[in-house]
Amino acid sequence: MRALRFRLALWGWRSLSDLIFLVLFRVWPYRRNIVLLNMARCFPTRSEKEIRQMVTAYFRHLADLIVEPLMIGGVARGSLGKLVSYENTALIERLLREKKHIVLMASHYGSWEYLLSLPLQTDCQVLAAYSPVSNKWINSRLLKLRGRFGAVMIPKSEWYRRTLGWNAESSAIFVTIADQRPPESGKYYLNFMNRKTFVQSGAARIAVQRDCAVVYLDVTRRERNAYDFRFRLITAQARELGEAGIMEHYYKALENTIERQPEFWLWSHNRWKFHSRQGQKPVNALKLL
């Protein structure tokens, strides 16, 4: 009976996603020019036909992405494995046995909302940042969905202070979506997807300050609405690698993930909004704090 309920719910979610796709792609084209431009510049060797196929595939994924938080928030725990699986959890277990705090560097790839099921994979506390919405009822509902599996949700404005000041006796995992565009062009950049890209180094800064272990979350879409998450070690001692080294390793790993299945990254985000200005430095000029 549970399997039948899951299949019926999946049919409903996918039908809603198909309708959203028609709206976003046909009726009200949502940032389609930004998506097309981003993909064309990041994949200069691909033909126009290939780029347009990628754009269509991306909008199908974007529609799925809108309904997937409802899916992960409503699915029975016994059916959770049909939506998400975790690989190389032994790495996390080893780092926790070594009493290490972990900065988990995720990205806008696949469905990052699924990552809020991580507390079911470990006994330690899992902290994640969120951006509050102005409507209090909606904000409360989102927090309930996102905290359903035990994640400690922290407002984005308090994230840096709370993570640096986290003094729990047991180790914790700090989940960061690390490919955020900085609020302005900023000082630091690197080469990412064939483009000069300004970066935020907040996740690396936290890791260095606390000398955390740093782990990259590699994501593969197994099938529609289902993802495999794999943990890959960047460094067990952040201070040895430093901010610059952490960011370089992270963005190289993310680039490899995107090139494997390009359509599942958040291409409608205006990631390359800012232009160069005098006095900016490459990421390898970042200094250890």
Side-chain angles (χ1 to χ4, degrees), residues 94-95 98 100-101 211-214 233-239:
R94 175 174 66 82
L95 293 172
E98 295 171 359
K100 300 291 293 185
H101 289 297
D211 199 24
C212 297
V214 182
L233 183 66
I234 292 179
T235 179
Q237 294 178 299
R239 287 177 185 164

Side-chain angles (χ1 to χ4, degrees), residues 141-170:
R141 293 295 299 169
L142 286 174
L143 278 177
K144 186 176 180 179
L145 281 174
R146 290 169 170 171
R148 178 188 174 204
F149 301 112
V152 178
M153 304 303 300
I154 297 175
K156 190 175 180 180
S157 60
E158 301 177 17
W159 177 250
Y160 192 73
R161 177 179 59 83
R162 294 273 298 274
T163 52
L164 286 183
W166 190 259
N167 290 316
E169 292 182 4
S170 59

Side-chain angles (χ1 to χ4, degrees), residues 197-248:
T197 304
F198 295 103
V199 300
Q200 288 195 54
S201 60
R205 189 178 307 120
I206 291 168
V208 169
Q209 290 265 12
R210 300 202 61 139
D211 199 24
C212 297
V214 182
V215 174
Y216 173 70
L217 185 76
D218 193 14
V219 182
T220 303
R221 195 178 85 152
R222 185 194 325 152
E223 58 181 300
R224 187 179 181 185
N225 307 121
Y227 301 88
D228 296 325
F229 292 161
R230 183 172 183 81
F231 301 112
R232 299 186 183 277
L233 183 66
I234 292 179
T235 179
Q237 294 178 299
R239 287 177 185 164
E240 288 189 359
L241 188 57
E243 283 186 45
I246 291 169
M247 297 306 295
E248 287 176 324

Side-chain angles (χ1 to χ4, degrees), residues 11-180:
W11 176 83
W13 286 323
R14 288 179 174 174
S15 297
L16 176 59
S17 175
D18 291 342
L19 178 61
I20 293 171
F21 165 74
L22 290 175
V23 173
L24 294 181
F25 192 70
R26 301 292 185 190
V27 180
W28 177 55
Y30 175 71
R31 296 190 175 186
R32 193 160 62 189
N33 289 339
I34 290 177
V35 176
L36 185 60
L37 184 63
N38 282 341
M39 286 186 169
R41 287 179 172 175
C42 289
F43 299 98
T45 62
R46 302 207 180 190
S47 67
E48 181 179 339
K49 180 180 179 180
E50 288 175 310
I51 295 296
R52 294 196 177 278
Q53 288 173 340
M54 287 167 54
V55 170
T56 302
Y58 169 72
F59 275 95
R60 292 192 181 279
H61 167 65
L62 182 62
D64 281 345
L65 196 61
I66 292 171
V67 303
E68 282 170 351
L70 304 176
M71 295 174 64
I72 198 71
V75 69
R77 292 195 181 192
S79 300
L80 193 61
K82 297 176 182 178
L83 298 181
V84 59
S85 69
Y86 291 86
E87 301 175 9
N88 198 22
T89 55
L91 169 63
I92 300 298
E93 293 168 2
R94 175 174 66 82
L95 293 172
L96 293 175
R97 285 196 303 269
E98 295 171 359
K99 310 297 183 183
K100 300 291 293 185
H101 289 297
I102 299 170
V103 170
L104 181 62
M105 298 183 74
S107 62
H108 289 102
Y109 187 92
S111 183
W112 51 95
E113 295 280 352
Y114 279 25
L115 189 54
L116 296 175
S117 64
L118 179 58
L120 299 180
Q121 305 295 316
T122 177
D123 293 330
C124 76
Q125 288 187 299
V126 175
L127 286 70
Y130 76 98
S131 297
V133 297
S134 56
N135 185 292
K136 292 184 178 180
W137 183 85
I138 294 176
N139 191 63
S140 176
R141 293 295 299 169
L142 286 174
L143 278 177
K144 186 176 180 179
L145 281 174
R146 290 169 170 171
R148 178 188 174 204
F149 301 112
V152 178
M153 304 303 300
I154 297 175
K156 190 175 180 180
S157 60
E158 301 177 17
W159 177 250
Y160 192 73
R161 177 179 59 83
R162 294 273 298 274
T163 52
L164 286 183
W166 190 259
N167 290 316
E169 292 182 4
S170 59
S171 297
I173 298 175
F174 306 121
V175 178
T176 60
I177 306 298
D179 57 343
Q180 300 276 7

